[in-house]
């Protein structure tokens, strides 16, 4: 039978490894999101003509544009709600 400290040590090493992987995936997701923002918003109003050398598929572009724009809209609404709730909680603060 293994000593208890060996079992706990293995468990914490595994947990540390999982948390590091999760942190890396989160950082990579933010990087990809902002890189996509640069790609999509940099060429706003692209050419949808197939004869153009800088052709852009309209369906893919419009989907990516509105997906990113919707994410920013929800981020703005969430931030506004948090600010409003904070202000209201300060105004109606009760002394106990």
């Amino acid at each position: 039978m293994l000593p208890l400290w060996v079992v706990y040590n293995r468990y914490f090493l595994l947990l540390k490894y999982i948390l590091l992987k999760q942190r890396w995936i989160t950082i990579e997701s933010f990087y990809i999101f902002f890189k996509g923002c640069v790609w999509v918003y940099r060429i706003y109003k692209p050419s949808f003509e197939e004869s153009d050398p800088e052709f852009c598929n309209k369906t893919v572009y419009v989907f990516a544009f509105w997906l990113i724009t919707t994410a920013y809209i929800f981020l703005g609404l969430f931030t506004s709600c948090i600010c409003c709730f904070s202000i209201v909680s300060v105004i109606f603060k009760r002394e106990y």
Side-chain angles (χ1 to χ4, degrees):
M1 183 167 184
L2 288 172
L4 199 54
W5 66 271
V6 173
V7 174
Y8 284 144
N9 193 20
R10 286 183 182 176
Y11 173 74
F12 285 120
L13 285 176
L14 180 64
L15 185 63
K16 184 178 176 182
Y17 175 75
I18 290 171
L19 290 175
L20 285 174
K21 281 291 202 180
Q22 188 176 20
R23 186 177 302 149
W24 178 252
I25 290 171
T26 303
I27 291 169
E28 184 114 352
S29 295
F30 280 115
Y31 173 74
I32 289 171
F33 179 75
F34 288 116
K35 191 172 183 179
C37 291
V38 170
W39 284 346
V40 169
Y41 291 131
R42 182 179 56 184
I43 59 164
Y44 182 68
K45 298 278 186 172
S47 173
F48 299 122
E49 300 295 326
E50 291 187 20
S51 60
D52 192 12
E54 294 184 8
F55 166 72
C56 188
N57 187 330
K58 186 173 184 175
T59 306
V60 174
Y61 180 79
V62 171
F63 176 75
F65 178 82
W66 281 110
L67 185 72
I68 293 170
T69 303
T70 304
Y72 278 125
I73 289 170
F74 281 126
L75 180 66
L77 287 173
F78 179 73
T79 305
S80 299
C81 287
I82 294 294
C83 289
C84 289
F85 288 140
S86 298
I87 291 170
V88 167
S89 68
V90 167
I91 290 173
F92 294 116
K93 181 180 174 185
R94 293 182 183 172
E95 302 276 338
Y96 291 106

